[in-house]
Amino acid sequence: MNKVIEFDEAQSTLYCEAGCILETLQNHTKDLGYMMPLDLGAKGSCQIGGNLATNAGGIKFIKQGSMHSNCVGLKVVLADGTIIDQMDPHVTLPIGYDLKQLFIGAEGTLGFITECAIFCPPYPKNRQVALLASNDYEQIMKCLQISKKELSSQLSAVEFMDWESASIAMDYLSLENPLSDEYKYYILIEMSGNSQEELLQEQMLELLEKLEDHYEDGLMCESETQKDQIWHIREGISMAASGYGLAFKFDISLESKDFEDIILKTQERVNHLGGRVLGHGHIGDGNLHLNTVMKGFKDMDTAKQIKEALQPFVFDYIKEKNGSVSAEHGIGLLKTDYLGHSKSSEMIGYMGMLKKVFDPKGILNPYKVLPDHAFKPGTD
Ligand SMILES: Cc1cc2nc3c(=O)[nH]c(=O)nc-3n(C[C@H](O)[C@H](O)[C@H](O)COP(=O)(O)OP(=O)(O)OC[C@H]3O[C@@H](n4cnc5c(N)ncnc54)[C@H](O)[C@@H]3O)c2cc1C
């Protein structure tokens, strides 16, 4: 289950088995001059089957789109052993229902993915990375809006982190602060393409000029090492939070203008318990990782109080803002009761009906995704 089947250069498409590790596929396609359209912190351990099952987003989402758009073929084994083979995109795509889309993001509740075909664009020859900082969140939003408008399809990633997140990662990874001071908020902007490096550099400098009034400090990376270091800080936050002590993690989706508000409100709720709130994520597509950490392991009573301070507060906030209770990490077992915060009862009803069609006995990932009332195994 972990073999690359082939790379079809004419179609820029990778065919592989579902157990391939994402990073292995990234290296494989890079060697051929192509790029996996997905990149995320867990790349060294996650498998492409898991990425598809969770409809993983990651840092390239803003440019490359979701697994729904990049997965052009899928082979799935259903609960009764039936094999749905939609691996040849040319034969199956243009007509009828696109069944494979049902299995992407279904977290293995409708079928088990065994093979996939992923569209991989050419690997961009050059990239430029800038890190900008401000104490005013509104200015970070301005930087986001202007970067999106000015760079358009050359914008390959825009990431947000607050000081709490950046500093915990720098401490954990023993990295120096790349800027000369501490700021409340940071935005990492990456552009990439096949233009010559000098041209890309010029374009980034032009962008920074346009952003001049909206950041207090910043840098444009001068070497590949520096680019990697900046990315290392951003990608190290999740691991640093887990290593810090007790960590309560939410992965939510909401309009990026509300990021600061929910971070501050969450911090207010856990201040008296000694909780430290970290906010970071893919600001370009409204995905916020909202983590609350505590140094070392405190007693169970404090842990319970923190949990109660956070939940259902975070999910209710999301509901009010029409956001999603999970952005990238799926619903799993723990968030089924909150699915209704982000999906209507009609949608959940139809999801339950689909589950009955594909897995009437409920043997595939039982109790995941759907709340109890939406699906009862073995019932009509
Ligand atoms: C440090 C870190 C950073 C992350 N950053 C991001 C990010 O930026 N963007 C993002 O989207 N996500 C992110 N994630 C979450 C990530 O999407 C998932 O961890 C990953 O995509 C799941 O792949 P996996 O192989 O680990 O799956 P698992 O965790 O093993 O499984 C996830 C679910 O999919 C099901 N599943 C697994 N394989 C299959 C299969 N072949 N067929 C059907 N169902 C299957 C499992 O049963 C389970 O329900 C991050 C996670 C970590 C730990």
Side-chain angles (χ1 to χ4, degrees):
M1 286 278 290
N2 62 356
K3 288 192 189 63
V4 170
I5 301 166
E6 68 161 316
F7 191 89
D8 178 348
E9 296 221 28
Q11 305 296 334
S12 292
T13 299
L14 171 80
Y15 293 81
C16 67
E17 294 178 340
C20 290
I21 299 288
L22 176 61
E23 196 169 34
T24 310
L25 297 177
Q26 287 176 339
N27 293 336
H28 181 86
T29 48
K30 189 177 178 187
D31 287 347
L32 297 170
Y34 295 85
M35 179 182 76
M36 280 299 281
L38 178 70
D39 192 11
L40 44 90
K43 61 188 158 209
S45 61
C46 63
Q47 301 173 351
I48 191 70
N51 300 146
L52 287 158
T54 53
N55 187 24
I59 54 184
K60 290 183 179 160
F61 183 94
I62 192 165
K63 181 161 179 173
Q64 306 300 339
S66 74
M67 295 311 285
H68 282 291
S69 45
N70 294 307
C71 174
V72 292
L74 210 61
K75 192 186 273 187
V76 180
V77 180
L78 302 186
D80 65 359
T82 304
I83 294 173
I84 302 275
D85 185 346
Q86 209 183 329
M87 279 295 279
D88 186 343
H90 315 108
V91 176
T92 50
L93 253 189
I95 43 163
Y97 301 157
D98 189 359
L99 283 181
K100 72 174 180 313
Q101 298 295 352
L102 283 176
F103 303 100
I104 300 172
E107 296 178 50
T109 56
L110 299 181
F112 190 83
I113 300 163
T114 56
E115 289 177 16
C116 60
I118 307 289
F119 175 77
C120 301
Y123 200 92
K125 291 198 176 80
N126 292 304
R127 65 173 176 157
Q128 289 295 332
V129 175
L131 180 72
L132 309 179
S134 173
N135 287 312
D136 179 353
Y137 186 73
E138 273 187 31
Q139 299 309 321
I140 295 288
M141 285 303 296
K142 282 270 176 224
C143 290
L144 171 67
Q145 286 154 13
I146 297 170
S147 306
K148 272 184 161 178
K149 187 165 170 235
E150 294 298 321
L151 297 182
S152 185
S153 63
Q154 278 182 309
L155 183 65
S156 47
V158 206
E159 295 290 309
F160 161 76
M161 48 192 172
D162 59 11
W163 169 251
E164 292 299 323
S165 303
S167 62
I168 209 173
M170 288 188 282
D171 287 348
Y172 186 78
L173 300 166
S174 305
L175 291 172
E176 300 255 310
N177 183 354
L179 302 181
S180 52
D181 214 336
E182 291 174 19
Y183 298 89
K184 278 191 193 164
Y185 305 116
Y186 297 80
I187 184 165
L188 185 166
I189 301 166
E190 183 190 272
M191 64 185 295
S192 60
N194 283 339
S195 323
Q196 286 194 329
E197 185 159 8
E198 296 73 32
L199 192 64
L200 223 52
Q201 215 166 19
E202 251 173 57
Q203 285 174 307
M204 184 60 106
L205 283 170
E206 272 172 31
L207 173 72
L208 295 185
E209 254 177 57
K210 289 193 171 126
L211 297 178
E212 206 173 32
D213 296 337
H214 304 295
Y215 64 89
E216 288 160 53
D217 197 358
L219 61 83
M220 184 172 114
C221 295
E222 285 170 0
S223 65
E224 283 303 309
T225 312
Q226 197 181 16
K227 289 171 198 168
D228 289 344
Q229 270 170 2
I230 301 288
W231 269 113
H232 206 35
I233 297 174
R234 166 61 190 91
E235 293 194 313
I237 300 169
S238 177
M239 226 181 348
S242 302
Y244 188 79
L246 206 53
F248 296 86
K249 297 188 174 186
F250 291 88
D251 149 57
I252 53 183
S253 176
L254 75 168
E255 282 188 63
S256 38
K257 69 176 172 51
D258 294 320
F259 280 14
E260 182 187 42
D261 186 50
I262 191 168
I263 292 169
L264 295 179
K265 286 192 171 134
T266 307
Q267 183 64 65
E268 261 172 42
R269 294 180 69 85
V270 295
N271 258 342
H272 66 291
L273 298 164
R276 183 176 169 192
V277 175
L278 322 175
H280 55 280
H282 316 305
I283 192 170
D285 33 84
N287 173 198
L288 177 69
H289 300 300
L290 184 70
N291 298 344
T292 300
V293 294
M294 289 184 77
K295 190 81 192 145
F297 184 77
K298 295 273 157 66
D299 57 288
M300 285 309 287
D301 194 43
T302 316
K304 193 164 163 261
Q305 283 181 55
I306 292 228
K307 191 174 173 220
E308 283 167 2
L310 297 172
Q311 207 172 302
F313 161 74
V314 173
F315 292 144
D316 289 346
Y317 185 99
I318 292 301
K319 185 180 183 185
E320 195 193 308
K321 299 283 181 184
N322 291 323
S324 172
V325 294
S326 180
E328 305 184 316
H329 296 188
I331 293 293
L333 296 168
L334 298 179
K335 288 180 227 156
T336 54
D337 287 344
Y338 295 99
L339 189 65
H341 277 38
S342 305
K343 290 202 183 286
S344 68
S345 55
E346 288 82 5
M347 287 181 200
I348 295 175
Y350 275 96
M351 284 170 70
M353 284 193 255
L354 279 170
K355 175 77 175 167
K356 271 180 205 161
V357 169
F358 283 96
D359 180 22
K361 293 182 184 155
I363 58 170
L364 296 174
N365 272 350
Y367 314 112
K368 279 194 183 174
V369 181
L370 289 165
D372 285 349
H373 66 82
F375 172 73
K376 302 251 182 297
T379 57
D380 297 328

